[in-house]
Amino acid sequence: MRRLFPVTDQTTPDSVPAPGAQPEAPADLVDREWTLDELAEAYAYPAPLTAPGTPGTPATSDAPHRWLRANMVSTLDGAAQHDGRSQAISSDADMRIFGTLRGLADVVIAGAETVRLEGYRPARARDAFAARRAADGQAPAPAIAVVSASLNLDFSLPLFTSPLVPTLVLTGAAASPDRIRDAEKAGARVIVAGDGPGVEPDRAVTALADMGLVRQLTEGGPRLLGQFAAAGVLDELCLTVAPLLTAGSAQRITGGPVLPDPERFALAAVLEEAGFLFTRYRRI
């Protein structure tokens, strides 16, 4: 894996490296497979992150109370999936970063359709991240939070019946009481984060942060990511650009209505392996 630009916490236009500027990475991080610990350092969440009301945190603290990061993959021609799934446009290095991002998160947020199509299972505890998570006061594995208005989910699946950390279901106030009971009976925790049939993105991320789940990761799908973007709550995008062309009419990484004005993100870092670019952008 090759570092093209250094990781930086700056998010202003002036912080973006000039075209062609490629500061050299340390020799021991060039053209070799990075360890998971090295990837974890490169993708660490901003610090400090504190849940609202955390003891010892001043009420006027400017520290962010949560950080929502998205992880998506796209082909050169903008396809976020092939034959309905993202696996076909991924790579081994992409999956290592995928696992690293999960290993750092308190909660993984996914739309119901993505959960169904990608066959989501409970997140697992991994030895490589155990010490880091324990030091940060995190559970052994991130919780999975499923966003669903209809609650049309199979609550007999392991995601709901046997997770290491109880699965969360985010829905609206108009959700079926029977389906809420089914979810809770299966062991899921239901969170109402909207006054109507659907989930309001700002309320969803705030509700999770209020539970102490401040390191937030969303894996889409495109419609959910589009909603987060439209609501202005997306802080960071980790986008893998695959050196592939698929043509067709596959979804982009975001869907939904067009934003009134394009939202500007600043480049924070780029890694490369086998032609795949692993980019990080932060909202300005």
Side-chain angles (χ1 to χ4, degrees):
M1 183 168 289
R2 201 158 55 95
R3 184 194 297 241
L4 302 182
F5 297 132
V7 175
T8 155
D9 289 330
Q10 299 177 36
T11 54
T12 64
D14 292 340
S15 71
V16 181
Q22 297 187 8
E24 292 186 4
D28 65 340
L29 288 182
V30 175
D31 293 334
R32 69 166 173 81
E33 186 175 88
W34 290 18
T35 66
L36 291 179
D37 195 54
E38 288 166 343
L39 284 174
E41 287 295 329
Y43 282 92
Y45 278 82
L49 284 177
T50 56
T54 300
T57 301
T60 58
S61 173
D62 291 331
H65 294 311
R66 57 119 191 111
W67 189 267
L68 177 61
R69 160 186 286 169
N71 183 34
M72 301 292 283
V73 59
S74 171
T75 63
L76 296 175
D77 52 347
Q81 53 191 224
H82 185 66
D83 286 338
R85 300 189 65 184
S86 62
Q87 184 175 1
I89 61 174
S90 183
S91 69
D92 289 344
D94 184 46
M95 293 310 298
R96 281 172 62 80
I97 291 176
F98 172 91
T100 299
L101 295 182
R102 280 196 166 198
L104 298 174
D106 295 325
V107 61
V108 177
I109 311 168
E113 185 66 10
T114 295
V115 167
R116 287 188 287 264
L117 289 175
E118 302 284 352
Y120 266 52
R121 298 183 62 83
R124 59 191 178 93
R126 299 181 62 184
D127 291 342
F129 302 103
R132 184 182 296 269
R133 294 185 68 87
D136 288 337
Q138 295 176 284
I144 304 294
V146 184
V147 177
S148 176
S150 68
L151 299 185
N152 181 23
L153 299 162
D154 185 350
F155 294 119
S156 69
L157 294 176
L159 177 62
F160 301 100
T161 61
S162 57
L164 184 62
V165 179
T167 294
L168 309 172
V169 177
L170 296 162
T171 193
S176 163
D178 289 340
R179 295 303 289 165
I180 290 177
R181 282 192 291 270
D182 290 342
E184 293 174 336
K185 185 177 179 180
R189 178 173 177 178
V190 178
I191 301 169
V192 175
D195 293 330
V199 170
E200 298 168 22
D202 56 338
R203 288 183 57 177
V205 296
T206 298
L208 293 171
D210 287 344
M211 296 171 59
L213 306 175
V214 296
R215 301 171 186 86
Q216 301 173 357
L217 170 67
T218 180
E219 298 169 350
R223 184 170 61 179
L224 179 62
L225 183 54
Q227 291 171 350
F228 282 138
V233 297
L234 181 66
D235 299 296
E236 181 179 329
L237 173 63
C238 297
L239 175 63
T240 296
V241 181
L244 303 169
L245 295 174
T246 62
S249 57
Q251 287 181 299
R252 298 158 48 193
I253 66 166
T254 57
V258 176
L259 298 180
D261 296 296
E263 188 168 15
R264 178 70 186 273
F265 281 64
L267 181 66
V270 184
L271 304 176
E272 183 271 340
E273 182 173 294
F276 283 77
L277 297 180
F278 306 99
T279 71
R280 287 176 59 207
Y281 290 88
R282 289 186 172 182
R283 183 160 57 104
I284 296 175

